Amino acid sequence: MDRGRGCDGFVDAVVLGAWASSGRKYGRETRSAHRRIMCEVYSPPRVTAELKKGRHPHFVPGFAFDLIVNDPDDGQPWDSLVKGKREKARAKLNKQKPYMFIGSPACTAFSTWMYLNEKKSKEVAAIKRAKIRAIRHIDFVIELYYDQLGGGRYFLHEHPEHATSWQLSQMKILMEAEGVATVGGDRCQFGAEH
């Protein structure tokens, strides 16, 4: 899990850098990693796009689902609030069985600014609706994380350190699951901007 501060870029640098070593010392590990699939959800293709450039031969790009990316089968966004899209995403995950699954659900509804604005806003109902939608997205990605854990595979959850999403009961339970660890990182050093 990533409890970093900032935006895109950190995942690319850490994940690809950590697992793409090709030194002699790690030859056996890199050979066994040659066909490892990496997928991302709630993220436009970032890591998978980098993998498609061919600079990281140890990994294969899998799917990348996001609200701003359309499903090529029907031209509709990959919105996990739509039951058919959830089922299709889960089927792809079960078929590809990615080595690493990266989840980056929007953190806007969980930001510290939103938390502060919620107390003073005249749009309380709209803020609550947005929060409910955001929690439904988090719930879905957590289900997929459990699928990864159950299959002995990895996941990375990317959200800012101070996002209120970390306080959700389902997230706290996930963080206590066997094999799950949290890691914080300052993404600014990797070029991220707030």
Side-chain angles (χ1 to χ4, degrees):
M1 293 185 154
D2 170 25
R3 293 183 73 165
R5 296 176 288 267
C7 299
D8 301 338
F10 179 72
V11 173
D12 300 2
V14 172
V15 172
L16 295 175
W19 288 309
S21 170
S22 60
R24 289 176 70 182
K25 182 177 178 184
Y26 301 105
R28 183 179 59 207
E29 289 84 355
T30 56
R31 282 190 299 278
S32 70
H34 182 70
R35 298 297 298 165
R36 291 185 175 163
I37 297 173
M38 296 184 77
C39 297
E40 44 195 332
V41 68
Y42 294 119
S43 173
R46 289 184 295 142
V47 174
T48 54
E50 181 66 24
L51 292 174
K52 285 179 182 176
K53 294 178 184 176
R55 289 184 246 162
H56 306 281
H58 312 296
F59 297 99
V60 176
F63 59 78
F65 299 146
D66 187 61
L67 293 169
I68 62 170
V69 175
N70 290 337
D71 178 347
D73 294 338
D74 62 11
Q76 297 300 308
W78 284 102
D79 185 351
S80 69
L81 298 181
V82 176
K83 183 180 179 184
K85 295 298 179 190
R86 285 193 309 271
E87 291 170 351
K88 191 170 184 180
R90 183 172 280 112
K92 283 189 171 281
L93 180 76
N94 290 334
K95 182 178 180 182
Q96 290 190 6
K97 298 187 183 328
Y99 172 76
M100 172 60 75
F101 179 74
I102 302 167
S104 304
C107 59
T108 308
F110 303 108
S111 71
T112 51
W113 284 110
M114 189 57 70
Y115 177 77
L116 295 172
N117 288 339
E118 190 176 351
K119 303 298 181 193
K120 315 182 222 185
S121 178
K122 295 175 184 170
E123 305 282 334
V124 175
I127 290 174
K128 284 185 179 182
R129 282 191 303 274
K131 185 91 168 235
I132 289 168
R133 289 176 57 87
I135 289 171
R136 289 177 61 198
H137 287 297
I138 292 272
D139 288 343
F140 177 64
V141 79
I142 287 174
E143 288 176 25
L144 299 179
Y145 295 156
Y146 280 116
D147 289 347
Q148 283 290 104
L149 287 172
R153 298 180 306 273
Y154 299 94
F155 75 89
L156 183 141
H157 178 75
E158 180 185 18
H159 253 202
E161 182 177 22
H162 298 292
T164 59
S165 57
W166 296 107
Q167 300 308 313
L168 295 171
S169 60
Q170 57 270 45
M171 186 58 72
K172 287 180 177 182
I173 292 168
L174 175 66
M175 290 189 299
E176 295 298 321
E178 186 175 341
V180 175
T182 59
V183 177
D186 187 346
R187 299 187 202 172
C188 296
Q189 66 181 334
F190 294 99
E193 298 176 6
H194 294 278

